[in-house]
Amino acid sequence: LKCPPQGNVFFVAVDPACGGPSEMGIVSFYFSSAKTLGDRPLGLTLLGLESVNTQRVMMEPNWRFLVDHIKGVRNTYPHLLARATVVPIVESQGSQTTANTFCGRIQEHCQPCLLLFGRAKNSSEPTYGVPTTADKKLLMVQRLQALMTDRQILIDSRLYTSGRRSLSTKDAD
């Protein structure tokens, strides 16, 4: 895309941590190139942030936590996001099944939703995951740090987080 979808749209980027015991990271943000948009400035506004300890065997609690995060962000910013289209950006790290599952559950539980997809090599099936590597992740963290230092990204004072630090097997019930 030359320019991200705009208007009443917010993005949810997630590293689902489904490759073993790890941290699942979620970042929700709003983008606009409009000069004024309610109380949002030009560019990127960080709306929600999570980092939660999880495991691969807990696919259902993981996607439920993600859906709850999206709903929490919408509830925190009802004037901006009540009926906003959510655009999930799910890291795949080689597991298109995980990315497709997460995107499918977001689409099922968080309407309206716009899935960005491509095609895997030698496949006619759509894929919703964004492939990445450790080097790409490091570059993105450095780029985000630079944008925040230059005040190109606003961190809203109402930043949503659930406050949870871990998911356990009891979350599957």
Side-chain angles (χ1 to χ4, degrees):
L1 297 174
K2 290 183 181 179
C3 185
Q6 295 180 48
N8 201 14
V9 174
F10 75 106
F11 299 84
V12 180
V14 61
D15 181 343
C18 289
S22 186
E23 294 278 318
M24 177 170 62
I26 305 170
V27 176
S28 298
F29 59 96
Y30 193 82
F31 173 81
S32 174
S33 63
K35 297 247 184 250
T36 59
L37 187 62
D39 59 350
R40 301 296 107 211
L42 175 68
L44 293 173
T45 303
L46 189 61
L47 303 176
L49 190 61
E50 304 278 359
S51 176
V52 64
N53 193 4
T54 185
Q55 297 178 25
R56 180 180 178 82
V57 296
M58 297 168 29
M59 176 75 80
E60 185 172 334
N62 291 3
W63 69 254
R64 285 184 187 275
F65 184 76
L66 175 59
V67 166
D68 288 346
H69 171 85
I70 294 167
K71 290 177 179 179
V73 169
R74 276 192 170 144
N75 289 336
T76 302
Y77 301 92
H79 64 289
L80 186 66
L81 304 176
R83 291 297 303 154
T85 299
V86 61
V87 179
I89 303 167
V90 182
E91 187 261 353
S92 65
Q93 197 72 15
S95 176
Q96 287 301 326
T97 301
T98 299
N100 287 354
T101 298
F102 273 57
C103 288
R105 295 303 183 257
I106 293 168
Q107 188 174 44
E108 182 181 334
H109 295 279
C110 301
Q111 286 294 322
C113 177
L114 172 65
L115 299 180
L116 306 176
F117 68 93
R119 302 251 183 249
K121 288 183 180 179
N122 304 321
S123 176
S124 61
E125 296 297 314
T127 58
Y128 301 107
V130 177
T132 190
T133 64
D135 289 340
K136 286 180 184 178
K137 287 181 185 182
L138 179 59
L139 287 172
M140 288 310 300
V141 167
Q142 292 169 339
R143 178 66 179 138
L144 285 172
Q145 185 177 20
L147 288 170
M148 289 169 59
T149 300
D150 293 342
R151 299 181 190 262
Q152 299 283 330
I153 298 176
L154 173 71
I155 301 174
D156 193 89
S157 62
R158 296 167 290 178
L159 181 77
Y160 173 81
T161 183
S162 67
R164 295 192 58 190
R165 286 295 303 133
S166 65
L167 298 178
S168 66
T169 53
K170 67 182 175 186
D171 290 307
D173 299 332

